[in-house]
Amino acid sequence: MSRTFAIIKPDAVERKLTGKIISWMENAGLTVVAMKRLHLTKKQAEGFYAEHSARGFFGDLTSYMSSGPCVVAVLEGENAQPKWRDIMGATNPANAAPGTIRKELAVDLEKNSVHGSDSETSAAREIAYFFSELEVV
Ligand code: CMP
């Protein structure tokens, strides 16, 4: 058993896709062991995406991620980190495989509906950014 971190991004929350995406998680055998709805400030989004701070899209990304409510979650299961990445599909929905969340639901590269940690190390950092150990059950 391992854990990973997920975000249901503002475009998906706004379109009322939260329940559908939770079903996608659970149907893949992942357990939601923590979840909450947040409206990130620009500073909180910048802190979360700090590793991308030198990238040209950083300003737009953090403005978008603080533009409306999102839902953050911790998922647990066998190989949770790579499994959730597989279910999400490629970062750019134009390149995502059929049957993945991003292929089926995402709008574009920025409004790509979901986030998932890219490694076990990132998962530990990202979970700790949003949740205390007491909130993960
Ligand atoms: P995410 O998995 O949340 O990680 C960083 C996000 O930056 C990514 O999803 C995309 O939504 C967004 N992004 C915007 N432009 C780019 C780009 N050119 N390359 C990668 N990610 C991008």
Side-chain angles (χ1 to χ4, degrees):
M1 286 296 199
S2 63
R3 289 175 179 172
T4 195
F5 175 75
I7 303 178
I8 303 174
K9 294 190 179 185
D11 69 274
V13 172
E14 185 184 9
R15 289 179 289 145
K16 302 204 178 294
L17 295 171
T18 302
K20 193 168 188 169
I21 292 171
I22 294 170
S23 292
W24 226 301
M25 295 164 170
E26 294 187 331
N27 289 341
L30 294 167
T31 302
V32 179
V33 292
M35 178 168 270
K36 57 190 169 190
R37 176 176 159 114
L38 298 171
H39 191 150
L40 297 179
T41 64
K42 175 95 166 150
K43 280 219 170 320
Q44 288 168 335
E46 287 170 354
F48 178 73
Y49 280 116
E51 70 188 286
H52 296 305
S53 60
R55 308 287 292 274
F57 58 83
F58 184 66
D60 286 345
L61 169 65
T62 52
S63 292
Y64 161 62
M65 289 299 292
S66 54
S67 67
C70 63
V71 173
V72 296
V74 181
L75 306 179
E76 189 173 87
E78 231 173 272
N79 299 314
Q81 186 273 321
K83 181 179 272 188
W84 175 234
R85 295 278 289 191
D86 283 352
I87 298 163
M88 290 194 306
T91 305
N92 188 341
N95 303 325
T100 61
I101 293 174
R102 283 168 169 160
K103 183 67 177 183
E104 305 302 326
L105 304 180
V107 178
D108 57 31
L109 176 58
E110 181 174 87
K111 295 181 175 62
N112 63 354
S113 298
V114 282
H115 166 84
S117 309
D118 64 5
S119 67
E120 300 277 346
T121 306
S122 297
R125 182 188 76 79
E126 293 176 1
I127 290 168
Y129 193 81
F130 286 105
F131 293 98
S132 77
E133 195 49 44
L134 280 176
E135 294 176 298
V136 183
V137 289

